[in-house]
Amino acid sequence: MGIRINPLHAIDFYKADHRRQYPEGTEYVYSNLTPRSARLAPVLDDFDGRVVFFGLQGFIKHFLIETWNDEFFKQPKDKVLAAYKRRMDASLGEGAVPVDHIAALHDLGYLPLKIKALPEGSRVNVKVPMLTLVNTHPDFFWLTNYIETVMSAELWKSCTTASIAYEYKRLLTQYAQDTGAPLDFVSLQGHDFSCRGMSGIYDSTQSAVGHLTSFIGTDAVSAIDYAEQYYNATGVVGVSVPATEHSVMCMGTQDDELSTFRRLVTDLYPSGIVSIVSDTWDFWQVLTVFAKELKQTILNRQPNALGLAKVVFRPDSGDPVKIICGDPEAPEGSPAYKGAVECLWEVFGGTMTDKGFRQLHERVGLIYGDSITLSRAQAILAGLKAKGYASSNLVFGIGSFTYQYNTRDSFGFAMKATWGQVKGVGRELFKDPITDSGTKKSAKGLLRVEANQNGFELHDQQTAEQEKQGALDVVFENGRLVKEVSLDEIRTLLSV
């Protein structure tokens, strides 16, 4: 995935010479990764201030082990030194950054780092560290914060996506319970549509695995590969369905659109689920005219081995809330006034849940995947509930409008040093800028994190013995992954 990265170059330039800027005699640097704030987070109003920790194992396996081994330790020393010197000389000035420490690292043959972390899938309180990082060999104190750039870049998005996915699942579960919808449908109700809108296929892949921590619906094929390779995923990792796009519908021509629908639901997909984009021209014609003409054909479709035979209509434009629930400003009694769910109910009918809400006939459904956000999803679900419809009448296509419109600041992720050792003496480090609101105030000294009834609690200024205790466990040490987790275990932890 992506270009072949020289791990030495996966830094901001200013990292290159921090080694000489630390005090003479520096032996250890101890840092942590913490979500510092949810002020900019795209979450629901009742968000409880906990961020999902996810992505570390994939980063360790792919970057700290595979990339460092393949592109550094297994490469000839003179080759990697020449490449590093050329890059530094060309941009910082000849000889600006010595290379003797790089040669020493190559001679060592492994990354002398130790990472302690909370279990992936933990929901971690804001301002509590998810992991700590320290060098294990005093000659390589510079390495701890040297990898901050790549560690931050690789982890914030996975954690952020997993956190937002959890919020979607929490929302969908709440409305399923309120309206009597089947809870086992929720894992399919949030479907990942984000792949094409992310910052490259590798970003999209890592982010999409974050989505899979709470859902199984996805259109990101590479995310399933990643989950299997780096998170030992087995069983049902991710699922999707046959679906059309606008080019398919357009190629069938507007005058013959009904025939395109008929061919799809009879010839190509006589059983199982098929999702058909339905707003290429007149969405309301599809739901009120074509649906009536195809009603018996759709009802006669035979279930597949999984017992499924559903035609899913997909609107892809307009105001999602109005399209699904109805537009009160449209002419009274019009399809637009009624909304998509009511239009399908009038054609196909359905059943009542045990909570007294209408559930569309099992042969039809809807998916909406354009510009969905948590707030819009909440408004749609509230609108359906107000009209007496169960939440399970709709699947949400969650795209890049949700998963790409985020930054490292969405949850205030930062990696900061809080302790170091110089000539055998420990130093407690901290920052507390007088010009800041308090968000950037860091912890101080060695850290311990304990689980409690409210999540996790940080204890700073710990002794070396206290730092060994608590919920942070060693997961990586001296080039090796020492504690492994599976996607199934992560999903289980998030379901508690």
Side-chain angles (χ1 to χ4, degrees), residues 33-37 51 124-130 411-414:
L33 179 74
T34 299
R36 299 181 298 183
S37 170
V51 182
V124 185
N125 306 64
V126 168
K127 296 186 182 298
V128 173
M130 294 175 163
F411 285 105
F413 274 100

Side-chain angles (χ1 to χ4, degrees), residues 20-43:
R20 294 194 300 171
Q21 296 173 18
Y22 283 113
E24 184 179 348
T26 299
E27 297 162 327
Y28 293 97
V29 176
Y30 174 94
S31 288
N32 72 93
L33 179 74
T34 299
R36 299 181 298 183
S37 170
R39 183 176 63 87
L40 300 176
V43 291

Side-chain angles (χ1 to χ4, degrees), residues 10 29 46 56 102 185 205 245 275 282 288 301 309 343 357 365 374 383 407 413 449 453 473 475 496:
V29 176
D46 60 346
L56 177 62
I102 303 299
F185 182 65
T205 300
E245 66 176 16
S275 173
D282 188 341
T288 59
R301 293 175 78 246
C343 286
F357 289 84
L374 274 166
T407 71
F413 274 100
V449 174
Q453 60 183 7
D473 286 335
V475 295
V496 173

Side-chain angles (χ1 to χ4, degrees), residues 34 297 442:
T34 299
T297 299
S442 71

Side-chain angles (χ1 to χ4, degrees), residues 410-426:
S410 296
F411 285 105
F413 274 100
M415 189 170 171
K416 299 299 175 186
T418 59
W419 182 86
Q421 181 173 304
V422 180
K423 296 180 180 180
V425 179

Side-chain angles (χ1 to χ4, degrees), residues 417-463:
T418 59
W419 182 86
Q421 181 173 304
V422 180
K423 296 180 180 180
V425 179
R427 296 183 179 183
E428 292 186 336
L429 315 177
F430 75 102
K431 61 177 289 187
D432 186 11
I434 195 171
T435 52
D436 181 59
S437 62
T439 298
K440 292 187 176 183
K441 181 179 180 180
S442 71
K444 185 177 183 179
L446 295 173
L447 310 178
R448 175 170 57 94
V449 174
E450 293 285 357
N452 61 30
Q453 60 183 7
N454 296 315
F456 292 96
E457 183 179 4
L458 167 65
H459 301 268
D460 63 357
Q461 296 187 272
Q462 300 293 286
T463 65

